[in-house]
């Protein structure tokens, strides 16, 4: 029997990227991975509800209430408890510390709604990215899935997909198109790539 990679998904908002991952798993497009845990830095995040509906354990951890160090300690405890191999950031708006990231080398992956190195780094998240792209007047944007290191949006790029900007686009319409055409496609693909690598490693250690 395949020794699957155990995946935790970290969220902060509505959870549309989480839904894409769960749908991929259900459709058999994540054969080497299993989503075993969802954690939210925002206790009000609708993503928690999405996880519960699909039978996935969902834990709220308020970074604002706890503060960075206790938040990361609680996060680490949960990841250890659920024996997590791979961490997927799916609309997760908290920056993880250097100390935390170093404990998970090449095991944390993030999706960013632009073609890195454009419109990325500290301060570029959510609608702000699309507002910046429209303000600059670029014709093409997209999404990038990358490994996470100590630099915001600075880790090794795994996958990218371009999305056209159309006349009359608003930040909201552009955000939706980038999600549908790029983010929801790339994130499950990247999760499966990494999960396959981890599953092979686990088999080798048996």
């Amino acid at each position: 029997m395949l020794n699957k990679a155990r995946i935790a998904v970290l969220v902060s908002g509505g959870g549309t990227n989480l839904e894409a991952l769960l749908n991929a798993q259900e459709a058999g497009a994540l054969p080497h991975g299993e989503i075993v845990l969802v954690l939210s830095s925002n206790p009000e995040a609708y993503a928690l509800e999405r996880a519960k509906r699909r039978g996935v354990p969902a834990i709220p951890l308020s970074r604002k209430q706890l503060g960075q160090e206790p938040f990361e300690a609680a996060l680490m405890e949960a990841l250890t408890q659920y024996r997590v191999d791979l961490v997927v950031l799916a609309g997760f708006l908290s920056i993880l510390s250097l100390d935390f990231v170093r404990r998970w080398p090449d095991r944390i992956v993030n999706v960013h709604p632009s073609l890195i190195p454009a419109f990325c780094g500290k301060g570029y998240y959510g609608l702000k990215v699309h507002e910046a792209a429209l303000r600059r007047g670029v014709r093409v944007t997209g999404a990038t899935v990358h490994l996470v290191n100590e630099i915001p949006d600075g880790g090794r790029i795994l996958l990218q997909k371009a999305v056209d900007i159309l006349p009359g686009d608003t930040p909201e319409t552009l955000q939706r198109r980038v999600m549908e055409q790029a983010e929801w496609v790339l994130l499950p693909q990247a999760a499966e790539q990494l999960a396959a690598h981890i599953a092979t490693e686990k088999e080798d250690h048996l």
Side-chain angles (χ1 to χ4, degrees):
M1 186 179 164
L2 181 67
N3 205 342
K4 293 185 177 186
R6 295 173 64 81
I7 300 170
V9 184
L10 273 54
V11 296
S12 297
T16 53
N17 278 314
L18 167 64
E19 190 81 12
L21 287 162
L22 290 167
N23 288 343
Q25 179 175 273
E26 210 168 79
L30 196 54
H32 293 92
E34 180 186 2
I35 298 165
V36 298
L37 180 63
V38 171
L39 289 140
S40 175
S41 60
N42 168 19
E44 306 298 315
Y46 183 65
L48 292 167
E49 187 60 33
R50 289 184 195 267
K52 288 173 188 168
R53 285 182 185 176
R54 304 291 273 271
V56 179
I59 300 175
L61 291 172
S62 175
R63 190 181 67 85
K64 280 184 181 174
Q65 288 178 6
L66 292 170
Q68 188 73 16
E69 277 190 34
F71 169 74
E72 289 191 349
L75 187 56
M76 196 71 195
E77 190 179 321
L79 295 175
T80 303
Q81 182 188 342
Y82 282 85
R83 306 191 318 282
V84 168
D85 301 303
L86 175 64
V87 177
V88 178
L89 309 185
F92 184 68
L93 299 182
S94 295
I95 301 280
L96 295 166
S97 71
L98 173 60
D99 181 54
F100 186 92
V101 170
R102 279 183 173 161
R103 294 186 194 189
W104 294 84
D106 295 343
R107 290 291 180 270
I108 307 176
V109 65
N110 181 50
V111 61
H112 182 77
S114 78
L115 294 173
I116 292 174
F119 312 114
C120 68
K122 198 167 182 182
Y124 282 103
Y125 60 89
L127 275 179
K128 292 177 189 287
V129 179
H130 305 294
E131 287 165 357
L134 290 173
R135 201 163 46 239
R136 193 78 175 88
V138 294
R139 303 294 178 86
V140 175
T141 184
T144 304
V145 178
H146 64 93
L147 294 172
V148 174
N149 64 9
E150 69 280 7
I151 303 160
D153 301 324
R156 180 163 61 86
I157 290 170
L158 300 177
L159 296 169
Q160 286 188 309
K161 191 171 191 293
V163 175
D164 287 335
I165 294 178
L166 304 180
D169 260 337
T170 65
E172 290 78 11
T173 60
L174 183 56
Q175 181 182 52
R176 184 74 191 180
R177 192 179 314 112
V178 169
M179 283 179 175
E180 290 176 347
Q181 295 185 11
E183 293 181 49
W184 299 347
V185 177
L186 296 183
L187 194 55
Q189 285 179 0
E192 169 55 20
Q193 277 183 20
L194 292 166
H197 179 69
I198 292 165
T200 303
E201 280 187 351
K202 288 173 93 167
E203 291 295 326
D204 290 346
H205 285 109
L206 286 179

